[in-house]
């Protein structure tokens, strides 16, 4: 049954909100976006000083973890002159240009906060929603929409761990969302808590100015360097469609081998007891050197705090600590939704493919950007938004929840729903060079604009131009994989028999 969806409320004008507006327009829907601030692109706006009530926020030294070719939208690549990895101001400009190019600003109501979203009384027949909003200087009002796209994301509420003795500690204790620059901690002793991206960045930047920095990790981490062999970005080496056809054990072995071959985790105190696919990662080019020269020292979990001391679970104690910076992530919340729609703690695994609440009879509400990917968030958000708007139109379906799958499989699965998944065998007969690039090269966003709705005439050119940088490496990589598979299959068969 085709739903008569017309008006769509988009909550938030961050990255997921922008691409949701654009996808609504592509499908002939009428989006209205509510943004509580006065800027687009959400967390990509740098503010020199922390602001009250903000979620994730940029620090001065931030550089993207994914390369420009892997994080761009499928029909809007970064300029050719942009470097492979980008400072935050270049990313912000990209999203501003995206909004300008596709005329998105006119659909956004700034300084307007969404207070509550509830189904209309006859929701089971109409699928409509009541959206309660308040614009600065005005009274609260109610508007009715045919569908809603929640685009407020994962990083809206900072998570602070409970540590024994927190109330006794006399130094400063802050979440990394309030960290801006390492120079603020000049000459101080600092403990950074965390084992992923922001923890590494904060530790490195602070160590350039501090007297000493300690990084407290639960069980080590896996360091991934941005620039891999032959100056190829790391995620362009490991995010390849061909890897999805390998046995899981072999694929994980290949990825972990690449990472461990570039940094000696054990000698630096970074070694984890878990395999890489079950643990946290840290994209960071400098932390190994900072540890090597003693500016940063690795520590286990904090056991207890005192007035100015920190005791760790291995019994060691650091005295005269001036600050503790907790890079401990965020609580996943969606306060404007009732618990009957999504649980209060917002357990994302409950959502069908991390998008649709399974409790709803009518699939007219979707959450965009409530998942974590490996290799570039933008294309995942875009694929979700393309699927959701097709569901709203009645051209695609949403059904029961299935467990997690890797991001290429995730995007391929959604692309299959909307008819945008590239067909390797068809391409092999009609365009062998493109087929090779799609299968054995990085999973570039533009591969999802080669076919189906929203075909982009420059998709092939974009894929092939990006592929030139990695073509030779891809062939070598494929041959290595082929050898490993041939050698390993008899071993796997023997293990299965015994």
């Amino acid at each position: 049954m085709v739903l008569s969806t017309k008006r769509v409320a988009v909550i938030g004008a961050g990255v997921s909100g922008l691409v949701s507006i654009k996808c609504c327009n592509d499908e002939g829907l009428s989006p209205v976006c509510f943004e509580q601030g006065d800027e687009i692109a959400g967390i990509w706006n740098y503010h020199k000083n922390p602001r009250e009530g903000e979620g994730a926020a940029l620090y001065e030294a931030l550089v993207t973890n994914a390369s420009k070719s892997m994080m761009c939208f499928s029909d809007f690549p970064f300029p050719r002159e942009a470097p492979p990895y980008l400072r935050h101001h270049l990313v912000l400009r990209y999203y501003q240009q995206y909004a300008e190019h596709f005329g998105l600003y006119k659909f956004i109501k700034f300084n307007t906060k969404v207070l509550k979203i509830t189904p209309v009384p006859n929701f089971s027949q109409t699928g409509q929603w009541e959206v309660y909003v308040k614009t600065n200087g005005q009274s609260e009002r109610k508007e009715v929409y045919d569908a809603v796209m929640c685009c407020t994301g994962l990083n809206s509420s900072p998570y602070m761990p409970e540590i024994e003795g927190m109330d006794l500690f006399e130094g400063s204790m802050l979440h990394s969302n309030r960290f801006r620059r390492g120079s603020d901690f000049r000459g101080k002793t600092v403990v950074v808590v965390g084992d992923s991206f922001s923890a590494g960045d904060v530790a490195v930047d602070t160590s350039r100015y501090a007297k000493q920095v300690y990084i407290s990790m639960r069980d080590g981490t896996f360091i991934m360097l941005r620039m891999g062999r032959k100056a190829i970005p790391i995620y362009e080496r490991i995010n390849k469609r061909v890897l999805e056809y390998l046995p899981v054990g072999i694929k994980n072995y290949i990825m972990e081998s690449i990472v461990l071959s570039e940094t000696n985790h054990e000698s630096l105190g970074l070694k984890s007891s878990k395999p890489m696919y079950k643990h946290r990662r840290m994209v960071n080019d400098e932390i190994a050197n900072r540890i090597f020269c003693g500016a940063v020292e690795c520590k286990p979990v904090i056991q207890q705090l005192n007035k100015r001391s920190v005791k760790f679970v291995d019994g060691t104690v650091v005295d005269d600590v001036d600050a503790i910076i907790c890079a401990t992530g965020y609580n996943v919340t969606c306060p404007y939704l009732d618990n009957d729609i999504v649980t209060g703690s917002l357990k994302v695994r409950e959502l069908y493919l991390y998008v649709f609440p399974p409790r709803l009879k009518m699939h007219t509400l979707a959450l965009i950007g409530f998942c974590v990917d490996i290799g570039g968030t933008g294309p995942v958000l875009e694929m979700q938004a393309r699927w959701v708007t097709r569901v709203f139109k009645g051209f695609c379906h949403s059904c029961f929840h299935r467990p997690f799958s890797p991001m290429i499989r995730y995007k391929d699965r959604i692309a299959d729903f909307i008819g945008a998944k590239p067909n390797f065998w068809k391409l092999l007969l009609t365009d062998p060079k493109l087929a090779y690039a799609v299968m054995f090269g990085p999973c570039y966003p533009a591969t999802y604009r080669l076919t189906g709705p929203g075909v982009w005439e420059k998709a092939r050119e974009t894929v092939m131009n990006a592929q030139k940088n990695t073509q030779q490496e891809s062939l070598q990589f494929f041959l290595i994989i082929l050898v490993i598979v041939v050698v390993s299959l008899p071993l796997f068969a023997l293990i299965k028999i015994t």
Side-chain angles (χ1 to χ4, degrees), residues 16-286:
S16 55
L18 293 177
V19 75
S20 294
I21 298 170
K22 195 261 187 184
C23 289
C24 282
N25 290 333
D26 289 347
E27 292 296 337
L29 302 172
S30 179
V32 177
C33 177
F34 300 104
E35 168 54 48
Q36 67 177 351
D38 56 4
E39 306 162 312
I40 67 165
I43 63 172
W44 289 103
N45 290 277
Y46 174 72
H47 298 282
K48 189 174 182 179
N49 298 308
R51 300 182 299 173
E52 286 301 318
E54 68 182 345
L58 293 180
Y59 35 88
E60 195 174 86
L62 187 139
V63 177
T64 58
N65 296 319
S67 65
K68 66 176 183 179
S69 297
M70 299 301 290
M71 67 176 291
C72 65
F73 292 129
S74 63
D75 56 355
F76 196 76
F78 276 90
R80 187 179 184 86
E81 62 272 15
Y85 289 91
L86 305 121
R87 294 289 305 277
H88 53 76
H89 68 278
L90 294 177
V91 180
L92 175 61
R93 184 57 190 148
Y94 168 81
Y95 291 126
Q96 291 171 337
Q97 291 173 335
Y98 179 81
E100 292 164 2
H101 180 80
F102 291 109
L104 306 183
Y105 281 100
K106 61 185 177 184
F107 299 99
I108 305 172
K109 295 185 177 182
F110 290 104
N111 299 307
T112 303
K113 184 176 182 178
V114 174
L115 306 174
K116 183 172 61 174
I117 298 174
T118 60
V120 298
N122 61 339
F123 175 79
S124 59
Q125 286 78 45
T126 66
Q128 292 180 320
W129 296 87
E130 295 176 342
V131 180
Y132 294 81
V133 300
K134 188 178 189 303
T135 301
N136 290 356
Q138 300 179 14
S139 58
E140 178 184 328
R141 66 184 187 274
K142 179 183 75 174
E143 300 181 7
V144 176
Y145 289 87
D146 298 297
V148 176
M149 300 175 79
C150 303
C151 302
T152 47
L154 291 171
N155 302 326
S156 57
S157 175
Y159 168 73
M160 286 291 286
E162 290 291 332
I163 304 174
E164 184 180 347
M166 284 178 66
D167 56 330
L168 302 175
F169 185 65
E170 295 178 350
S172 61
M173 191 166 186
L174 63 151
H175 191 274
S176 58
N177 77 319
R178 303 190 69 78
F179 174 87
R180 292 296 181 271
R181 60 201 69 82
S183 57
D184 292 341
F185 299 88
R186 189 183 302 274
K188 296 184 177 182
T189 299
V190 180
V191 176
V192 178
V193 180
D195 56 10
S196 197
F197 305 120
S198 58
D201 288 345
V202 170
V204 167
D205 191 22
T206 304
S207 72
R208 296 191 179 99
Y209 306 92
K211 178 181 178 182
Q212 180 64 49
V213 172
Y214 301 89
I215 182 167
S216 169
M217 297 174 286
R218 186 170 299 278
D219 184 22
T221 190
F222 285 88
I223 303 296
M224 302 176 70
L225 305 181
R226 289 181 175 85
M227 186 173 71
R229 206 156 44 89
K230 298 185 178 179
I232 297 170
I234 180 64
Y235 283 133
E236 293 186 34
R237 294 181 67 191
I238 65 177
N239 273 348
K240 300 186 179 186
R241 190 169 273 107
V242 67
L243 285 174
E244 299 304 312
Y245 293 91
L246 292 176
V248 174
I250 294 177
K251 182 179 70 173
N252 292 332
Y253 173 78
I254 291 171
M255 292 182 179
E256 189 169 317
S257 296
I258 290 174
V259 171
L260 294 180
S261 69
E262 294 174 338
T263 303
N264 190 325
H265 286 62
E266 186 168 7
S267 66
L268 295 173
L270 297 165
K271 184 176 174 58
S272 170
S273 63
K274 298 177 182 178
M276 181 175 167
Y277 73 97
K278 289 185 178 180
H279 199 47
R280 304 293 290 272
R281 303 164 181 84
M282 183 186 289
V283 175
N284 198 294
D285 302 312
E286 299 179 73

Side-chain angles (χ1 to χ4, degrees), residues 241 422-424 426-442 444 446-447 449-451 458-465 467 471:
R241 190 169 273 107
N423 187 318
F424 172 73
K426 184 177 180 180
L427 288 175
L428 191 62
L429 295 174
T430 59
D431 195 338
K433 288 185 178 180
L434 180 59
Y436 173 84
V438 167
M439 179 58 72
F440 301 111
Y444 294 119
T447 60
R449 291 284 178 177
L450 294 168
T451 187
K458 294 184 179 181
R460 185 189 188 281
E461 177 188 346
T462 300
V463 172
M464 296 308 294
N465 285 343
Q467 179 65 13
Q471 199 161 21

